[in-house]
Amino acid sequence: MTPSTPASGGGAPSPEVLLHLARQAAAAGAAVLARRDPEALDATSKSSDSDWVTAFDVAAEHAVRTVIKGARPHDAITGEELGTTVPAGFTPDGDRVRWSIDPLDGTTNFIRNIVYYGTSVAAAGADGTWLAGVVRAPALHRIYWASRGGGAWLSDHGSVRRLVGPRTGTGRLLGTGFSYDAATRAEQVVALGALLGGYGDVRRLGSAALDLCLVADRTLDAFVERGLHEHDYAAGALIAEEAGLAVHRPPLRPILDGGPTEAERLAGVTAAGPAGLIGSLTGSTSGSSSGSASGEGRA
């Protein structure tokens, strides 16, 4: 089977095959974002006056879906703007994959021409294990990618290197973000002081997908955020994990089983960093990570 050939007949596609397709799909989405035109944003608010969608979010998701459906028409796809589509006759067997798409993570940044935004594409196997993920940030000229067992990689202005995870030293930086929900945000602000123990400062860049990638490339030392959607962390968490970080995904109800309630999502914590940090958040002495789309630890 060549990397561009869809799997068929009784066998799960390899992470490498899915990564090849994820890279093509993310490139299609990022190409839409690269055509950013401030006169054509058509921005409208969703859940709050800080939560926006633009014509570019929707166009980028259509572009990503077109690439995936062209190669694997029988897979399920979950996207931030267009929801979950499940093909007729879909059964979660060994050959079926579900894709999780954030066509424009960092929409507010995109609207205001702040460079931290990008397209995130991830694929999970039939058992829910994340197998491949790509985050492509056109304004930064960076592409991050990982496949299960294949390591994490970065192309920065065309220069490629493998990502090797956490560093040691002083002046460590913690990345985080804040919920659009006012009550949750107030609680996050109160909790931030405790999270900063052992960290010299905090950064809030406005894209969870890129925050996770920046932990993987050692720009940040850790990332913790509450209330993320699956599409926010799906690719970035795998990239951080494959770079050698401990990663915690929130144990949310799987999307194909109806997904989490709003309260469940707002309570869920996503984190990447040293094992000790993850252990302090989860109560685990090992700081072990969870690699499944349901957050329940299937590897």
Side-chain angles (χ1 to χ4, degrees), residues 19-61:
L19 176 60
H20 181 79
L21 181 56
R23 290 193 65 174
Q24 292 178 318
V32 173
L33 306 188
R35 298 193 292 269
R36 179 186 180 277
D37 179 353
E39 301 302 319
L41 292 175
D42 192 23
T44 56
S45 62
K46 297 195 291 186
S47 65
S48 77
D49 61 3
S50 297
D51 185 13
W52 294 87
V53 61
T54 72
F56 288 85
D57 295 71
V58 177
E61 183 161 332

Side-chain angles (χ1 to χ4, degrees), residues 8 124 158 160 221 225 247 249 295:
S8 60
V160 177
D221 299 284
E225 186 167 347
V247 172
R249 299 168 179 82

Side-chain angles (χ1 to χ4, degrees), residues 46 52-54 57-58 61 65 79-83 101-104 107 231:
K46 297 195 291 186
W52 294 87
V53 61
T54 72
D57 295 71
V58 177
E61 183 161 332
R65 285 174 176 264
E80 178 177 13
E81 307 307 337
L82 303 179
I101 302 166
D102 193 337
L104 173 45
T107 299
H231 53 254

